[in-house]
Amino acid sequence: MSSIAESTIHNPRSTIQTTPFSRRGSYLKLAVPPAHKAPVPGLYLMTVRQQGSRKDLLRLDLPGTAAPEIEASPSKLCFRREGAEAEVVMPAPDTVQIRVRGGPLTLELVDPAKANVAFPTAQGRWEIVFHQAREKGQVVPIAGALTVDAPWKVDACERIVIQATDAEFALVFYDTVYVPRDFLPFEEAEAGVAGEFAAYLERTPEVPPPPAAATPEAPPPPTPTAVRRDFPTSVHAR
């Protein structure tokens, strides 16, 4: 599989490696962590809260061998590979809403400790406890097919893999219990975030333009060198 480091991002002045995708007020982000901080290279949903020893939550992957393409705007991230596409929006600081088209999207919890648990709750939802990150999340189907593979082994899950094909779902994070909520259609959720960002820009002072380049001044004329007059320069005999 090609490295995601080869991916492109819509803004040519930044990359997903240097500018994670997030939203104002959220501790969640989509980013490509450095190789020494991720057991498997790739695009990860991560947390920046300092309560756990791990920051990566789920690794996102699409089928294929070509280098993936990533486009990011303030309201949406698009993750594409070989005809499959996953679009991501954060309609609230604790929520990640994902729409998948053209192929299966896999989200895998990559944790060598294997101390995490996942179990079904109600109405097709699943709760995931990220042990080392000290986070809890609810996988909430919105439309289409969604499966969770989380076989138990002794007191934890041997693996936790979410897969969605031509589907829409949400990941909601919380500290205590999940409170059911309604979700807007993807386009409306994206439009809401874009509107919030536009309102934020309206309240932000404009950056003044850089000062015009000054015209270089002509150098001052050289200072005349004083000439010593210790003796007459000419003698006129009379």
Side-chain angles (χ1 to χ4, degrees), residues 14-92:
S14 64
T15 68
I16 194 66
Q17 288 83 1
T18 59
T19 309
F21 174 77
S22 187
R23 63 159 287 149
R24 184 171 61 90
S26 180
Y27 56 85
L28 301 167
K29 66 178 182 178
L30 283 161
V32 177
H36 68 281
K37 292 187 177 182
V40 180
L43 176 65
Y44 281 80
L45 174 62
M46 306 181 70
T47 176
V48 297
R49 293 213 287 188
Q50 300 298 317
Q51 45 186 31
S53 59
R54 292 185 69 86
K55 305 305 174 192
D56 50 300
L57 301 174
L58 293 165
R59 180 178 180 270
L60 286 71
D61 198 17
L62 291 169
T65 57
E69 177 186 359
I70 299 174
E71 288 186 8
S73 71
S75 58
K76 182 176 71 173
L77 180 139
C78 295
F79 179 39
R80 305 186 186 97
R81 178 188 273 146
E82 297 183 12
E85 179 182 57
E87 299 169 284
V88 182
V89 66
M90 293 185 179

Side-chain angles (χ1 to χ4, degrees), residues 156-220:
C157 288
E158 188 174 3
R159 61 182 176 273
I160 299 176
V161 180
I162 306 165
Q163 193 167 77
T165 303
D166 294 324
E168 189 172 333
F169 63 99
L171 299 165
V172 182
F173 292 82
Y174 46 91
D175 292 324
T176 53
V177 297
Y178 172 71
V179 178
R181 64 182 70 176
D182 294 326
F183 297 92
L184 293 172
F186 192 90
E187 287 83 359
E188 293 183 31
E190 180 192 353
V193 177
E196 288 181 46
F197 186 75
Y200 163 76
L201 286 183
E202 285 291 329
R203 299 190 300 268
T204 304
E206 293 186 4
V207 178
T215 303
E217 298 181 0

